[in-house]
Amino acid sequence: MQSERFKAPWLKLYLALVFILMYLPIAYLIIYSFNRGATMTAFTGFSWQHYLDMFNDLRLMQILVNTLIIALLSALLATIIGTFGALLIYQMKRTGIKNIFLSLNNILLVSPDVIIGASFLILFTMVGFQLGFGSVLMAHIAFSIPIVVLMVLPRFHDMDTTLIDAAYDLGANRWQVLSRVILPYAWPGILAGFFMAITYSLDDFAVTFFVTGNGFSTLSVEIYSRARQGVDLSINALSALLFVLSLMLVVVYYFIATGVATRSSKKAGHGQLKVVDPQ
Amino acid sequence: MKTRYSAYYALPYLFWIVLFVIAPLGLLLVQSFNNIGGHWTLANYQTYFKSGTYLRMTFNSLWFSFLVTMVTLIIAYPAAYIMTKLKHAQFWLMLIILPTWINLLLKAYAFIGLFAQDGSVNQFLTLIGIGPQQIMFTNVAFMIVAAYIELPFMMMPIFNALRELDPSLINAARDLGANSRQTFMKVIFPYSLSGVRAGVQAVFIPTLSLFMLTRLIGGNRVITLGTAIEEHFLVTQNWGMGSTIGIILIIAMFLTMYLTRERKGRGKQHAK
């Protein structure tokens, strides 16, 4: 006991150092977004100039809107498709088939995103689908579906089946059982899946980079092409904006996740915000 | 008793499995046997195994991923262990997760400023008397940024595994006369191995494919499997060769997962 108490300050110092290193680059980005100068190396004074530049950059604003549309739309569609996919897997009686479906579901979660990007590029080219908004949207829906399934499925498994039997006994038809009993019960998981899908979409670079074609761009792709040309402090301003947005998403998600956890088993996503590396 | 009412609703999901899970992987495999003219050939694989460049590139990529994985593991394990001892563990976990929600490109972009010739890191090095160094576009820069980005993904599973460890096991070890070191080596570490395995998977595999970092930070000096795939697909338009490297990457992925798989019963044997 004593030895542990003696060591504690050093241990905490180490942990503090790790956290400082983790947040230093992010803080650095945001601090320089307020720089009066145009470099990320010398801070010459406070100014909102780069925020003005960012909001006046019509191309960047258009791309920001595109990115948000893609994120919301793909998350919405992935959530709908994924929820019914989870329902299908939940209802499978034979564990062999169930496991096959679960494995198929998880393939895109574990695949490196270069593989997803390259294989989707081949697919879109083979069927003659034009690269642009549509291909990016479809790719984002595709890689968000498995995480929705994984978020929703535990909720179904937690559900007491007597609830469904009771609903049938009371004269509910299939649609009523689904809309009044099953989906409301799974709601926290569905919502969590929706938020995960949004962050997957906002975070993605590699898959989008492969299937985006020439005319259409998302923030990640734009940041990449600008960063290759050097430092541009309106990107810093943008990163500050995105940081606040991420913070808000995390807070919202945290409340959903704790809501899930208090009402069901620990496994239902609590403390496991991101299951698989999304890069 | 349970009626199957979701068969129609789940049709889009089934379409998704066929169209976006099975078909793309199948197409990638077929493409890897195609030459530029679109004919069936083994030439891509022959080129891959015969020319030293591809094999050397693969080895380099594996080696760099291994180093990045080791660095993150060494930093993350003690940090995760200390975190389990803190009061508001859930809050600290949130703090680890938050950086993963920030776009990877932005994090890489921050390092362009930090590592620049007159950047903050060099200013610091000058201050402590080492003098400015060329940091950007070096292997070390690539490894630092990759380790920075992957660190949370190593910490999370280790933290979760350590937290699930039953404290009475540690008390039992102490009661039976084990010192701190023995308790750690014989009880805590073996039980946290599942988290280490998950962390290694979550870091090693994505690091193989981090092509944007090699472009932005590594200055094309470090070539990963991901860089090679991107190069063949989007620059030289040699999809056949790109797909072949893709298949190699998938094999590397399965091999990693196999080597780090959960070995049933081993943890229990250790505990005995």
Side-chain angles (χ1 to χ4, degrees):
Chain A
M1 258 330 256
Q2 261 189 341
S3 66
E4 220 160 63
R5 209 174 289 159
F6 176 67
K7 278 181 204 161
W10 292 105
L11 295 177
K12 278 184 182 157
L13 198 71
Y14 173 77
L15 190 64
L17 198 70
V18 170
F19 272 106
I20 288 169
L21 284 177
M22 237 183 213
Y23 279 89
L24 202 66
I26 299 163
Y28 176 81
L29 263 189
I30 294 174
I31 289 168
Y32 272 96
S33 71
F34 299 108
N35 188 8
R36 187 176 291 153
T39 63
M40 241 205 292
T41 50
F43 197 87
T44 51
F46 181 88
S47 123
W48 288 102
Q49 188 56 44
H50 303 294
Y51 286 85
L52 289 177
D53 288 348
M54 171 182 70
F55 287 116
N56 285 327
D57 188 339
L58 283 182
R59 181 182 152 81
L60 200 61
M61 285 300 108
Q62 179 63 51
I63 289 170
L64 181 67
V65 171
N66 286 347
T67 309
L68 293 177
I69 290 174
I70 292 271
L72 287 173
L73 208 55
S74 70
L76 185 69
L77 290 167
T79 307
I80 294 169
I81 299 171
T83 301
F84 287 114
L87 197 58
L88 180 79
I89 294 176
Y90 166 65
Q91 287 177 338
M92 287 174 176
K93 292 200 178 95
R94 288 172 51 191
T95 43
I97 297 179
K98 197 170 191 162
N99 285 337
I100 290 173
F101 267 83
L102 273 174
S103 309
L104 283 172
N105 182 69
N106 293 353
I107 284 180
L108 287 188
L109 278 181
V110 296
S111 302
D113 42 10
V114 218
I115 298 291
I116 301 177
S119 60
F120 282 8
L121 177 63
I122 301 175
L123 177 78
F124 288 133
T125 315
M126 284 274 175
V127 293
F129 197 83
Q130 189 161 12
L131 298 182
F133 177 82
S135 62
V136 173
L137 180 67
M138 277 166 70
H140 281 222
I141 295 170
F143 68 61
S144 301
I145 287 175
I147 189 64
V148 174
V149 173
L150 286 194
M151 295 308 241
V152 177
L153 201 55
R155 291 292 300 174
F156 287 145
H157 282 302
D158 280 347
M159 190 167 52
D160 193 347
T161 46
T162 53
L163 281 176
I164 299 169
D165 296 341
Y168 278 123
D169 286 348
L170 292 169
N173 60 30
R174 286 173 178 185
W175 170 247
Q176 285 170 324
V177 170
L178 185 67
S179 64
R180 302 272 176 89
V181 181
I182 298 177
L183 291 184
Y185 190 87
W187 186 244
I190 296 172
L191 216 55
F194 177 70
F195 273 93
M196 288 306 295
I198 287 184
T199 56
Y200 268 40
S201 170
L202 288 177
D203 261 359
D204 177 68
F205 164 69
V207 178
T208 314
F209 191 64
F210 272 88
V211 299
T212 191
N214 284 325
F216 186 77
S217 187
T218 64
L219 273 182
S220 305
V221 176
E222 182 69 9
I223 293 168
Y224 178 73
S225 58
R226 288 194 187 197
R228 288 193 82 175
Q229 284 154 24
V231 169
D232 172 359
L233 289 192
S234 47
I235 296 182
N236 293 56
L238 188 68
S239 69
L241 200 70
L242 290 178
F243 182 74
V244 175
L245 189 73
S246 312
L247 207 62
M248 277 167 14
L249 277 175
V250 167
V251 171
V252 170
Y253 184 83
Y254 182 73
F255 281 113
I256 297 170
T258 44
V260 174
T262 47
R263 277 203 275 162
S264 72
S265 74
K266 256 185 165 179
K267 275 183 186 168
H270 191 55
Q272 283 225 311
L273 292 171
K274 213 152 230 189
V275 184
V276 175
D277 195 340
Q279 289 135 39
Chain B
M1 190 60 225
K2 265 188 268 171
T3 27
R4 299 177 162 264
Y5 36 77
S6 71
Y8 291 113
Y9 302 131
L11 268 183
Y13 181 74
L14 296 173
F15 270 123
W16 168 75
I17 285 189
V18 174
L19 211 62
F20 286 100
V21 179
I22 298 170
L25 288 180
L27 285 171
L28 194 76
L29 190 64
V30 170
Q31 193 78 45
S32 75
F33 289 105
N34 276 356
N35 61 15
I36 294 184
H39 297 286
W40 189 260
T41 170
L42 277 172
N44 294 323
Y45 287 92
Q46 281 170 348
T47 322
Y48 177 86
F49 284 108
K50 274 188 184 158
S51 94
T53 22
Y54 284 111
L55 287 178
R56 212 175 309 126
M57 178 270 296
T58 308
F59 177 76
N60 269 335
S61 184
L62 292 170
W63 175 240
F64 274 110
S65 292
F66 172 76
L67 289 178
V68 169
T69 310
M70 281 299 120
V71 169
T72 51
L73 179 62
I74 290 165
I75 297 173
Y77 197 96
Y81 181 70
I82 300 163
M83 262 177 58
T84 55
K85 307 259 174 212
L86 297 178
K87 262 184 192 154
H88 305 284
Q90 207 57 42
F91 169 75
W92 296 104
L93 186 67
M94 283 297 292
L95 275 188
I96 300 179
I97 292 165
L98 183 61
T100 69
W101 289 44
I102 289 164
N103 199 301
L104 175 121
L105 268 303
L106 288 177
K107 287 186 269 189
Y109 173 73
F111 282 94
I112 296 180
L114 279 166
F115 286 167
Q117 199 69 67
D118 51 354
S120 304
V121 172
N122 268 333
Q123 283 167 14
F124 177 73
L125 289 179
T126 314
L127 196 74
I128 58 170
I130 296 177
Q133 308 282 323
Q134 170 67 36
I135 309 173
M136 272 298 274
F137 308 129
T138 61
N139 298 348
V140 177
F142 169 78
M143 279 179 48
I144 292 173
V145 180
Y148 170 74
I149 286 167
E150 304 292 357
L151 187 64
F153 300 103
M154 184 65 91
M155 276 176 88
M156 277 187 272
I158 295 176
F159 172 77
N160 283 331
L162 283 170
R163 204 177 39 168
E164 276 166 22
L165 179 69
D166 189 346
S168 59
L169 283 174
I170 297 167
N171 292 335
R174 288 289 169 86
D175 288 349
L176 293 168
N179 60 28
S180 313
R181 195 191 152 86
Q182 285 169 326
T183 314
F184 181 78
M185 294 308 287
K186 302 266 166 153
V187 181
I188 300 172
F189 189 70
Y191 267 93
S192 65
L193 266 181
S194 65
V196 173
R197 289 200 187 98
V200 167
Q201 284 183 7
V203 172
F204 188 83
I205 298 168
T207 308
L208 288 174
S209 69
L210 280 176
F211 72 89
M212 43 295 196
L213 282 195
T214 63
R215 294 265 193 246
L216 289 175
I217 307 285
N220 287 346
R221 281 158 133 248
V222 189
I223 305 260
T224 61
L225 287 169
T227 320
I229 294 169
E230 188 253 2
E231 177 96 16
H232 281 100
F233 266 91
L234 300 176
V235 183
T236 61
Q237 301 281 334
N238 184 353
W239 288 16
M241 196 64 219
S243 303
T244 304
I245 302 169
I247 297 296
I248 302 284
L249 177 54
I250 292 174
I251 292 169
M253 178 184 102
F254 277 118
L255 223 61
T256 314
M257 288 167 78
Y258 177 76
L259 290 173
T260 55
R261 75 192 182 282
E262 200 75 53
R263 291 176 180 84
K264 278 181 187 148
R266 257 188 88 184
K268 278 177 192 157
Q269 277 171 16
H270 272 284
K272 276 176 193 169

